[in-house]
Amino acid sequence: MVVQRYLNRTPLYSYAGLSELLGCQAYVKHENHQPIGAFKVRGGLNLVSRLSEDERKRGVITASTGNHGQSIAYAARTFGVKAIVVVPHGNNPDKVKAIQRLGADVIFAGKDFDEAREYVERVSREKGYRYIHSANEPLLIAGVGTIGLEIVEDLPDVDVVLVPVGGGSGASGISTAVKSINPDIQIMGVQSSEAPAAYLSWREGKPVSSEIMRTFAEGLATRVGFAMTVEIMKRNLSDFILVSDDEIRRAMRLLLEETHNVAEGAGAASLAGAIKIKDRLAGKRVAMILSGGNVTMDTLRQVLSTH
């Protein structure tokens, strides 16, 4: 498999402090240890490796707040494909710099991810680039599904897996892989209540939009649900938990204190969700996806200075 050929397996570690806090056997899947600092690189490599010759010649374009863009840039560099990544104005500057260092061209458009995505959809039609959607891509979903396979291989008796949700590719891929091995394992999505579009879409069973989109956790920040991932999540998720941004910040501090790992907002969401439902997790074996660690120093300072 392409993912195994180009990426090292990420660790699944148990932490006594988190286990004591949650009253369960708590494990963290460290996708923050990926070369781009986030899980999405798995999907990017899988998709770009399978582009046709015509698509490779035309080049690819995508919209991102950062981690997906880095994923596509990393994969495009790996396979010699030109990549354009469109980010919203005011985007995380560290992530923009990382995308550029990986060789992709960066364009700023729109005030948020969804406006950047709308710009990309228009430009891809006009210029003939291969548009890579951040969620509605089976090969992206299949690539990130390898996280689920690794969890079940390393912890066959896992009871619950908690996954942060933005566009839903991670939750879709992981849940599909895990459920194919053991349908009794519970998969739970976690999203910020300050950007609940995916949660609302899951609840309704169809893509819906939300007027609320003000979370600091850019990896969770979408205004609309996406058809492919909503359908998969509706089928596979046992539950979907909303957490506040303050609960995410607390989880970021806890991860730094208990695991000595820096988590971005989205990466800490799974722990925030576990804390919120810890009574339901008592005595179980629980794996939490730390999906990424790409947080700016300014955001980290703000998180550490609040209590």
Side-chain angles (χ1 to χ4, degrees):
M1 177 180 277
V2 129
V3 172
Q4 294 169 330
R5 192 156 65 245
Y6 287 94
L7 297 174
N8 293 326
R9 189 185 194 91
T10 58
L12 179 71
Y13 291 146
S14 177
Y15 293 97
L18 295 182
S19 296
E20 182 180 332
L21 171 70
L22 295 171
C24 67
Q25 296 178 43
Y27 295 79
V28 176
K29 180 65 169 168
H30 283 287
E31 289 300 295
N32 58 310
H33 291 188
Q34 293 287 7
I36 67 163
F39 79 100
K40 286 182 178 285
V41 67
R42 296 173 181 259
L45 282 167
N46 194 49
L47 187 150
V48 175
S49 73
R50 302 187 186 209
L51 292 177
S52 68
E53 281 303 313
D54 177 62
E55 288 171 326
R56 292 185 184 215
K57 287 176 184 175
R58 287 188 281 130
V60 299
I61 189 169
T62 195
S64 176
T65 55
N67 288 341
H68 169 67
Q70 289 183 69
S71 163
I72 299 306
Y74 184 96
R77 185 182 70 175
T78 300
F79 295 105
V81 177
K82 176 181 170 57
I84 300 169
V85 179
V86 179
V87 302
H89 292 286
N91 199 67
N92 179 326
D94 291 352
K95 290 184 177 181
V96 171
K97 196 177 297 181
I99 292 168
Q100 292 170 327
R101 285 172 174 163
L102 289 167
D105 295 332
V106 173
I107 296 172
F108 292 87
K111 71 177 186 296
D112 59 24
F113 167 77
D114 289 292
E115 287 192 0
R117 174 180 54 79
E118 289 160 4
Y119 173 87
V120 166
E121 289 171 355
R122 184 175 69 253
V123 169
S124 64
R125 289 192 297 268
E126 293 171 357
K127 304 289 189 181
Y129 300 124
R130 195 322 190 157
Y131 169 41
I132 299 176
H133 194 282
S134 63
N136 288 342
E137 295 279 2
L139 292 173
L140 280 184
I141 293 170
V144 299
T146 56
I147 299 169
L149 294 176
E150 291 177 13
I151 290 172
V152 177
E153 288 171 357
D154 291 345
L155 188 66
D157 54 358
V158 63
D159 297 305
V160 181
V161 179
L162 288 107
V163 189
V165 179
S169 64
S172 296
I174 292 166
S175 65
T176 298
V178 169
K179 291 287 188 181
S180 71
I181 299 168
N182 183 352
D184 293 330
I185 297 171
Q186 292 184 300
I187 314 294
M188 299 182 183
V190 185
Q191 189 171 46
S192 172
S193 57
E194 299 300 305
Y199 164 79
L200 295 172
S201 299
W202 173 82
R203 191 180 67 183
E204 296 296 321
K206 62 182 180 181
V208 299
S209 60
S210 172
E211 294 302 314
I212 302 171
M213 212 283 289
R214 51 180 178 257
T215 181
F216 81 102
E218 63 263 20
L220 307 178
T222 54
R223 280 192 284 112
V224 297
F226 301 123
M228 185 178 296
T229 54
V230 168
E231 179 184 350
I232 296 170
M233 290 191 293
K234 187 65 177 177
R235 182 169 65 244
N236 290 345
L237 297 191
S238 306
D239 201 357
F240 204 134
I241 304 149
L242 286 181
V243 294
S244 70
D245 274 13
D246 282 344
E247 288 169 327
I248 292 173
R249 292 185 184 97
R250 181 195 175 199
M252 291 172 69
R253 294 193 295 271
L254 280 168
L255 284 165
L256 185 57
E257 183 178 3
E258 299 293 345
T259 78
H260 307 296
N261 278 260
V262 173
E264 61 187 272
S270 54
L271 174 57
I275 294 169
K276 192 151 195 173
I277 62 162
K278 68 176 187 176
D279 290 348
R280 292 163 54 189
L281 302 177
K284 295 183 177 178
R285 288 166 292 275
V286 179
M288 298 169 286
I289 312 298
L290 201 174
S291 58
N294 296 323
V295 60
T296 65
M297 287 299 296
D298 284 345
T299 299
L300 188 58
R301 287 189 193 100
Q302 291 168 13
V303 167
L304 295 177
S305 67
T306 56
H307 299 284

PDB file of all heavy atoms in Angstrom, residues 25-53:
ATOM      1  N   GLN A  25      -8.970   2.882  30.124  1.00  0.00           N
ATOM      2  CA  GLN A  25      -7.633   2.688  29.566  1.00  0.00           C
ATOM      3  C   GLN A  25      -7.515   3.596  28.341  1.00  0.00           C
ATOM      4  O   GLN A  25      -8.058   3.295  27.282  1.00  0.00           O
ATOM      5  CB  GLN A  25      -7.429   1.222  29.188  1.00  0.00           C
ATOM      6  CG  GLN A  25      -7.462   0.273  30.368  1.00  0.00           C
ATOM      7  CD  GLN A  25      -7.310  -1.171  29.947  1.00  0.00           C
ATOM      8  OE1 GLN A  25      -6.477  -1.500  29.102  1.00  0.00           O
ATOM      9  NE2 GLN A  25      -8.116  -2.054  30.534  1.00  0.00           N
ATOM     10  N   ALA A  26      -6.839   4.712  28.520  1.00  0.00           N
ATOM     11  CA  ALA A  26      -6.803   5.754  27.493  1.00  0.00           C
ATOM     12  C   ALA A  26      -5.543   5.652  26.642  1.00  0.00           C
ATOM     13  O   ALA A  26      -4.428   5.562  27.170  1.00  0.00           O
ATOM     14  CB  ALA A  26      -6.870   7.132  28.144  1.00  0.00           C
ATOM     15  N   TYR A  27      -5.741   5.680  25.341  1.00  0.00           N
ATOM     16  CA  TYR A  27      -4.652   5.623  24.368  1.00  0.00           C
ATOM     17  C   TYR A  27      -4.751   6.828  23.432  1.00  0.00           C
ATOM     18  O   TYR A  27      -5.849   7.272  23.101  1.00  0.00           O
ATOM     19  CB  TYR A  27      -4.724   4.343  23.537  1.00  0.00           C
ATOM     20  CG  TYR A  27      -4.526   3.066  24.311  1.00  0.00           C
ATOM     21  CD1 TYR A  27      -5.568   2.516  25.060  1.00  0.00           C
ATOM     22  CD2 TYR A  27      -3.305   2.410  24.308  1.00  0.00           C
ATOM     23  CE1 TYR A  27      -5.401   1.335  25.775  1.00  0.00           C
ATOM     24  CE2 TYR A  27      -3.129   1.225  25.019  1.00  0.00           C
ATOM     25  CZ  TYR A  27      -4.177   0.700  25.752  1.00  0.00           C
ATOM     26  OH  TYR A  27      -3.994  -0.461  26.457  1.00  0.00           O
ATOM     27  N   VAL A  28      -3.595   7.303  22.988  1.00  0.00           N
ATOM     28  CA  VAL A  28      -3.545   8.403  22.031  1.00  0.00           C
ATOM     29  C   VAL A  28      -2.846   7.930  20.768  1.00  0.00           C
ATOM     30  O   VAL A  28      -1.734   7.388  20.824  1.00  0.00           O
ATOM     31  CB  VAL A  28      -2.803   9.627  22.613  1.00  0.00           C
ATOM     32  CG1 VAL A  28      -2.674  10.730  21.562  1.00  0.00           C
ATOM     33  CG2 VAL A  28      -3.538  10.159  23.852  1.00  0.00           C
ATOM     34  N   LYS A  29      -3.497   8.120  19.628  1.00  0.00           N
ATOM     35  CA  LYS A  29      -2.913   7.822  18.317  1.00  0.00           C
ATOM     36  C   LYS A  29      -2.255   9.097  17.802  1.00  0.00           C
ATOM     37  O   LYS A  29      -2.931  10.085  17.500  1.00  0.00           O
ATOM     38  CB  LYS A  29      -3.998   7.334  17.353  1.00  0.00           C
ATOM     39  CG  LYS A  29      -3.500   6.992  15.949  1.00  0.00           C
ATOM     40  CD  LYS A  29      -2.543   5.810  15.927  1.00  0.00           C
ATOM     41  CE  LYS A  29      -2.299   5.338  14.486  1.00  0.00           C
ATOM     42  NZ  LYS A  29      -1.157   4.389  14.420  1.00  0.00           N
ATOM     43  N   HIS A  30      -0.924   9.059  17.681  1.00  0.00           N
ATOM     44  CA  HIS A  30      -0.149  10.275  17.453  1.00  0.00           C
ATOM     45  C   HIS A  30       0.044  10.608  15.973  1.00  0.00           C
ATOM     46  O   HIS A  30       1.148  10.492  15.429  1.00  0.00           O
ATOM     47  CB  HIS A  30       1.201  10.154  18.152  1.00  0.00           C
ATOM     48  CG  HIS A  30       1.123  10.359  19.627  1.00  0.00           C
ATOM     49  ND1 HIS A  30       0.914  11.593  20.193  1.00  0.00           N
ATOM     50  CD2 HIS A  30       1.178   9.475  20.666  1.00  0.00           C
ATOM     51  CE1 HIS A  30       0.884  11.473  21.512  1.00  0.00           C
ATOM     52  NE2 HIS A  30       1.032  10.195  21.830  1.00  0.00           N
ATOM     53  N   GLU A  31      -1.013  11.110  15.357  1.00  0.00           N
ATOM     54  CA  GLU A  31      -0.891  11.585  13.976  1.00  0.00           C
ATOM     55  C   GLU A  31      -0.146  12.913  13.888  1.00  0.00           C
ATOM     56  O   GLU A  31       0.260  13.332  12.801  1.00  0.00           O
ATOM     57  CB  GLU A  31      -2.274  11.693  13.335  1.00  0.00           C
ATOM     58  CG  GLU A  31      -2.914  10.348  13.045  1.00  0.00           C
ATOM     59  CD  GLU A  31      -2.077   9.508  12.095  1.00  0.00           C
ATOM     60  OE1 GLU A  31      -1.908   9.906  10.936  1.00  0.00           O
ATOM     61  OE2 GLU A  31      -1.571   8.448  12.524  1.00  0.00           O
ATOM     62  N   ASN A  32       0.066  13.550  15.036  1.00  0.00           N
ATOM     63  CA  ASN A  32       0.914  14.745  15.068  1.00  0.00           C
ATOM     64  C   ASN A  32       2.369  14.413  14.775  1.00  0.00           C
ATOM     65  O   ASN A  32       3.182  15.310  14.546  1.00  0.00           O
ATOM     66  CB  ASN A  32       0.800  15.434  16.425  1.00  0.00           C
ATOM     67  CG  ASN A  32       1.176  14.539  17.596  1.00  0.00           C
ATOM     68  OD1 ASN A  32       0.692  13.409  17.704  1.00  0.00           O
ATOM     69  ND2 ASN A  32       2.020  15.026  18.488  1.00  0.00           N
ATOM     70  N   HIS A  33       2.724  13.112  14.744  1.00  0.00           N
ATOM     71  CA  HIS A  33       4.093  12.694  14.434  1.00  0.00           C
ATOM     72  C   HIS A  33       4.324  12.494  12.931  1.00  0.00           C
ATOM     73  O   HIS A  33       5.420  12.096  12.526  1.00  0.00           O
ATOM     74  CB  HIS A  33       4.429  11.387  15.168  1.00  0.00           C
ATOM     75  CG  HIS A  33       4.532  11.554  16.655  1.00  0.00           C
ATOM     76  ND1 HIS A  33       4.973  10.539  17.483  1.00  0.00           N
ATOM     77  CD2 HIS A  33       4.256  12.599  17.473  1.00  0.00           C
ATOM     78  CE1 HIS A  33       4.963  10.963  18.743  1.00  0.00           C
ATOM     79  NE2 HIS A  33       4.524  12.204  18.754  1.00  0.00           N
ATOM     80  N   GLN A  34       3.312  12.750  12.122  1.00  0.00           N
ATOM     81  CA  GLN A  34       3.487  12.647  10.666  1.00  0.00           C
ATOM     82  C   GLN A  34       4.442  13.731  10.165  1.00  0.00           C
ATOM     83  O   GLN A  34       4.629  14.759  10.828  1.00  0.00           O
ATOM     84  CB  GLN A  34       2.127  12.785   9.965  1.00  0.00           C
ATOM     85  CG  GLN A  34       1.166  11.647  10.211  1.00  0.00           C
ATOM     86  CD  GLN A  34       1.568  10.376   9.461  1.00  0.00           C
ATOM     87  OE1 GLN A  34       2.632  10.294   8.859  1.00  0.00           O
ATOM     88  NE2 GLN A  34       0.696   9.371   9.518  1.00  0.00           N
ATOM     89  N   PRO A  35       5.057  13.563   8.986  1.00  0.00           N
ATOM     90  CA  PRO A  35       6.025  14.550   8.497  1.00  0.00           C
ATOM     91  C   PRO A  35       5.443  15.944   8.293  1.00  0.00           C
ATOM     92  O   PRO A  35       6.183  16.926   8.334  1.00  0.00           O
ATOM     93  CB  PRO A  35       6.530  13.949   7.174  1.00  0.00           C
ATOM     94  CG  PRO A  35       5.570  12.869   6.828  1.00  0.00           C
ATOM     95  CD  PRO A  35       4.995  12.378   8.105  1.00  0.00           C
ATOM     96  N   ILE A  36       4.123  16.054   8.084  1.00  0.00           N
ATOM     97  CA  ILE A  36       3.518  17.390   7.993  1.00  0.00           C
ATOM     98  C   ILE A  36       2.824  17.762   9.299  1.00  0.00           C
ATOM     99  O   ILE A  36       2.165  18.797   9.386  1.00  0.00           O
ATOM    100  CB  ILE A  36       2.515  17.502   6.823  1.00  0.00           C
ATOM    101  CG1 ILE A  36       1.284  16.614   7.069  1.00  0.00           C
ATOM    102  CG2 ILE A  36       3.178  17.174   5.498  1.00  0.00           C
ATOM    103  CD1 ILE A  36       0.094  16.964   6.197  1.00  0.00           C
ATOM    104  N   GLY A  37       2.943  16.908  10.324  1.00  0.00           N
ATOM    105  CA  GLY A  37       2.344  17.198  11.612  1.00  0.00           C
ATOM    106  C   GLY A  37       0.863  16.915  11.707  1.00  0.00           C
ATOM    107  O   GLY A  37       0.201  17.351  12.648  1.00  0.00           O
ATOM    108  N   ALA A  38       0.296  16.177  10.743  1.00  0.00           N
ATOM    109  CA  ALA A  38      -1.145  15.916  10.747  1.00  0.00           C
ATOM    110  C   ALA A  38      -1.481  14.684   9.909  1.00  0.00           C
ATOM    111  O   ALA A  38      -0.747  14.310   8.993  1.00  0.00           O
ATOM    112  CB  ALA A  38      -1.915  17.122  10.218  1.00  0.00           C
ATOM    113  N   PHE A  39      -2.638  14.102  10.204  1.00  0.00           N
ATOM    114  CA  PHE A  39      -3.072  12.832   9.613  1.00  0.00           C
ATOM    115  C   PHE A  39      -3.349  12.893   8.122  1.00  0.00           C
ATOM    116  O   PHE A  39      -3.280  11.883   7.412  1.00  0.00           O
ATOM    117  CB  PHE A  39      -4.341  12.343  10.328  1.00  0.00           C
ATOM    118  CG  PHE A  39      -5.614  13.023   9.888  1.00  0.00           C
ATOM    119  CD1 PHE A  39      -6.469  12.404   8.990  1.00  0.00           C
ATOM    120  CD2 PHE A  39      -5.955  14.278  10.380  1.00  0.00           C
ATOM    121  CE1 PHE A  39      -7.647  13.026   8.578  1.00  0.00           C
ATOM    122  CE2 PHE A  39      -7.127  14.901   9.986  1.00  0.00           C
ATOM    123  CZ  PHE A  39      -7.984  14.276   9.079  1.00  0.00           C
ATOM    124  N   LYS A  40      -3.677  14.061   7.599  1.00  0.00           N
ATOM    125  CA  LYS A  40      -4.186  14.156   6.234  1.00  0.00           C
ATOM    126  C   LYS A  40      -3.185  13.724   5.166  1.00  0.00           C
ATOM    127  O   LYS A  40      -3.566  13.419   4.036  1.00  0.00           O
ATOM    128  CB  LYS A  40      -4.683  15.577   5.960  1.00  0.00           C
ATOM    129  CG  LYS A  40      -6.006  15.886   6.646  1.00  0.00           C
ATOM    130  CD  LYS A  40      -6.493  17.286   6.310  1.00  0.00           C
ATOM    131  CE  LYS A  40      -7.836  17.569   6.955  1.00  0.00           C
ATOM    132  NZ  LYS A  40      -8.944  16.886   6.289  1.00  0.00           N
ATOM    133  N   VAL A  41      -1.912  13.693   5.507  1.00  0.00           N
ATOM    134  CA  VAL A  41      -0.895  13.294   4.536  1.00  0.00           C
ATOM    135  C   VAL A  41      -1.158  11.887   3.998  1.00  0.00           C
ATOM    136  O   VAL A  41      -0.813  11.566   2.848  1.00  0.00           O
ATOM    137  CB  VAL A  41       0.518  13.405   5.154  1.00  0.00           C
ATOM    138  CG1 VAL A  41       0.724  12.397   6.272  1.00  0.00           C
ATOM    139  CG2 VAL A  41       1.590  13.283   4.082  1.00  0.00           C
ATOM    140  N   ARG A  42      -1.788  11.040   4.800  1.00  0.00           N
ATOM    141  CA  ARG A  42      -2.109   9.685   4.347  1.00  0.00           C
ATOM    142  C   ARG A  42      -3.034   9.727   3.128  1.00  0.00           C
ATOM    143  O   ARG A  42      -2.811   9.019   2.129  1.00  0.00           O
ATOM    144  CB  ARG A  42      -2.794   8.902   5.464  1.00  0.00           C
ATOM    145  CG  ARG A  42      -1.960   8.648   6.705  1.00  0.00           C
ATOM    146  CD  ARG A  42      -2.808   8.025   7.801  1.00  0.00           C
ATOM    147  NE  ARG A  42      -2.097   7.768   9.046  1.00  0.00           N
ATOM    148  CZ  ARG A  42      -1.634   6.589   9.442  1.00  0.00           C
ATOM    149  NH1 ARG A  42      -1.791   5.522   8.670  1.00  0.00           N
ATOM    150  NH2 ARG A  42      -1.017   6.445  10.603  1.00  0.00           N
ATOM    151  N   GLY A  43      -4.080  10.545   3.221  1.00  0.00           N
ATOM    152  CA  GLY A  43      -5.015  10.641   2.118  1.00  0.00           C
ATOM    153  C   GLY A  43      -4.421  11.314   0.897  1.00  0.00           C
ATOM    154  O   GLY A  43      -4.667  10.904  -0.244  1.00  0.00           O
ATOM    155  N   GLY A  44      -3.623  12.354   1.119  1.00  0.00           N
ATOM    156  CA  GLY A  44      -2.996  13.053   0.003  1.00  0.00           C
ATOM    157  C   GLY A  44      -2.094  12.149  -0.807  1.00  0.00           C
ATOM    158  O   GLY A  44      -2.146  12.129  -2.042  1.00  0.00           O
ATOM    159  N   LEU A  45      -1.253  11.371  -0.126  1.00  0.00           N
ATOM    160  CA  LEU A  45      -0.359  10.450  -0.826  1.00  0.00           C
ATOM    161  C   LEU A  45      -1.144   9.403  -1.611  1.00  0.00           C
ATOM    162  O   LEU A  45      -0.814   9.100  -2.766  1.00  0.00           O
ATOM    163  CB  LEU A  45       0.575   9.757   0.163  1.00  0.00           C
ATOM    164  CG  LEU A  45       1.763  10.579   0.655  1.00  0.00           C
ATOM    165  CD1 LEU A  45       2.423   9.899   1.848  1.00  0.00           C
ATOM    166  CD2 LEU A  45       2.783  10.804  -0.462  1.00  0.00           C
ATOM    167  N   ASN A  46      -2.177   8.869  -0.997  1.00  0.00           N
ATOM    168  CA  ASN A  46      -2.963   7.828  -1.665  1.00  0.00           C
ATOM    169  C   ASN A  46      -3.627   8.371  -2.927  1.00  0.00           C
ATOM    170  O   ASN A  46      -3.605   7.732  -3.983  1.00  0.00           O
ATOM    171  CB  ASN A  46      -4.012   7.268  -0.710  1.00  0.00           C
ATOM    172  CG  ASN A  46      -4.631   5.981  -1.217  1.00  0.00           C
ATOM    173  OD1 ASN A  46      -3.937   5.049  -1.616  1.00  0.00           O
ATOM    174  ND2 ASN A  46      -5.952   5.918  -1.224  1.00  0.00           N
ATOM    175  N   LEU A  47      -4.192   9.564  -2.833  1.00  0.00           N
ATOM    176  CA  LEU A  47      -4.898  10.130  -3.989  1.00  0.00           C
ATOM    177  C   LEU A  47      -3.935  10.544  -5.100  1.00  0.00           C
ATOM    178  O   LEU A  47      -4.119  10.166  -6.264  1.00  0.00           O
ATOM    179  CB  LEU A  47      -5.739  11.323  -3.550  1.00  0.00           C
ATOM    180  CG  LEU A  47      -6.664  11.932  -4.615  1.00  0.00           C
ATOM    181  CD1 LEU A  47      -7.904  12.531  -3.970  1.00  0.00           C
ATOM    182  CD2 LEU A  47      -5.956  13.000  -5.444  1.00  0.00           C
ATOM    183  N   VAL A  48      -2.925  11.324  -4.760  1.00  0.00           N
ATOM    184  CA  VAL A  48      -2.032  11.852  -5.805  1.00  0.00           C
ATOM    185  C   VAL A  48      -1.270  10.721  -6.495  1.00  0.00           C
ATOM    186  O   VAL A  48      -0.994  10.775  -7.695  1.00  0.00           O
ATOM    187  CB  VAL A  48      -1.067  12.902  -5.214  1.00  0.00           C
ATOM    188  CG1 VAL A  48      -0.049  13.358  -6.265  1.00  0.00           C
ATOM    189  CG2 VAL A  48      -1.858  14.112  -4.699  1.00  0.00           C
ATOM    190  N   SER A  49      -0.971   9.650  -5.755  1.00  0.00           N
ATOM    191  CA  SER A  49      -0.260   8.515  -6.363  1.00  0.00           C
ATOM    192  C   SER A  49      -1.095   7.865  -7.472  1.00  0.00           C
ATOM    193  O   SER A  49      -0.539   7.190  -8.343  1.00  0.00           O
ATOM    194  CB  SER A  49       0.080   7.468  -5.296  1.00  0.00           C
ATOM    195  OG  SER A  49      -1.074   6.759  -4.876  1.00  0.00           O
ATOM    196  N   ARG A  50      -2.404   8.068  -7.443  1.00  0.00           N
ATOM    197  CA  ARG A  50      -3.291   7.398  -8.394  1.00  0.00           C
ATOM    198  C   ARG A  50      -3.860   8.330  -9.457  1.00  0.00           C
ATOM    199  O   ARG A  50      -4.787   7.947 -10.182  1.00  0.00           O
ATOM    200  CB  ARG A  50      -4.424   6.716  -7.630  1.00  0.00           C
ATOM    201  CG  ARG A  50      -3.885   5.712  -6.603  1.00  0.00           C
ATOM    202  CD  ARG A  50      -4.974   4.910  -5.971  1.00  0.00           C
ATOM    203  NE  ARG A  50      -4.440   4.071  -4.900  1.00  0.00           N
ATOM    204  CZ  ARG A  50      -4.959   2.913  -4.542  1.00  0.00           C
ATOM    205  NH1 ARG A  50      -6.009   2.434  -5.164  1.00  0.00           N
ATOM    206  NH2 ARG A  50      -4.438   2.222  -3.563  1.00  0.00           N
ATOM    207  N   LEU A  51      -3.326   9.523  -9.561  1.00  0.00           N
ATOM    208  CA  LEU A  51      -3.773  10.419 -10.628  1.00  0.00           C
ATOM    209  C   LEU A  51      -3.388   9.851 -11.992  1.00  0.00           C
ATOM    210  O   LEU A  51      -2.344   9.209 -12.152  1.00  0.00           O
ATOM    211  CB  LEU A  51      -3.121  11.798 -10.468  1.00  0.00           C
ATOM    212  CG  LEU A  51      -3.533  12.651  -9.261  1.00  0.00           C
ATOM    213  CD1 LEU A  51      -2.724  13.933  -9.241  1.00  0.00           C
ATOM    214  CD2 LEU A  51      -5.025  12.957  -9.275  1.00  0.00           C
ATOM    215  N   SER A  52      -4.214  10.120 -12.973  1.00  0.00           N
ATOM    216  CA  SER A  52      -3.881   9.722 -14.351  1.00  0.00           C
ATOM    217  C   SER A  52      -2.766  10.613 -14.876  1.00  0.00           C
ATOM    218  O   SER A  52      -2.473  11.681 -14.314  1.00  0.00           O
ATOM    219  CB  SER A  52      -5.115   9.854 -15.237  1.00  0.00           C
ATOM    220  OG  SER A  52      -5.455  11.228 -15.397  1.00  0.00           O
ATOM    221  N   GLU A  53      -2.161  10.198 -15.970  1.00  0.00           N
ATOM    222  CA  GLU A  53      -1.103  11.009 -16.586  1.00  0.00           C
ATOM    223  C   GLU A  53      -1.632  12.376 -16.988  1.00  0.00           C
ATOM    224  O   GLU A  53      -0.952  13.396 -16.828  1.00  0.00           O
ATOM    225  CB  GLU A  53      -0.517  10.286 -17.810  1.00  0.00           C
ATOM    226  CG  GLU A  53       0.482   9.199 -17.466  1.00  0.00           C
ATOM    227  CD  GLU A  53       1.645   9.721 -16.635  1.00  0.00           C
ATOM    228  OE1 GLU A  53       2.209  10.780 -16.994  1.00  0.00           O
ATOM    229  OE2 GLU A  53       1.965   9.100 -15.606  1.00  0.00           O
TER     230      GLU A  53
END
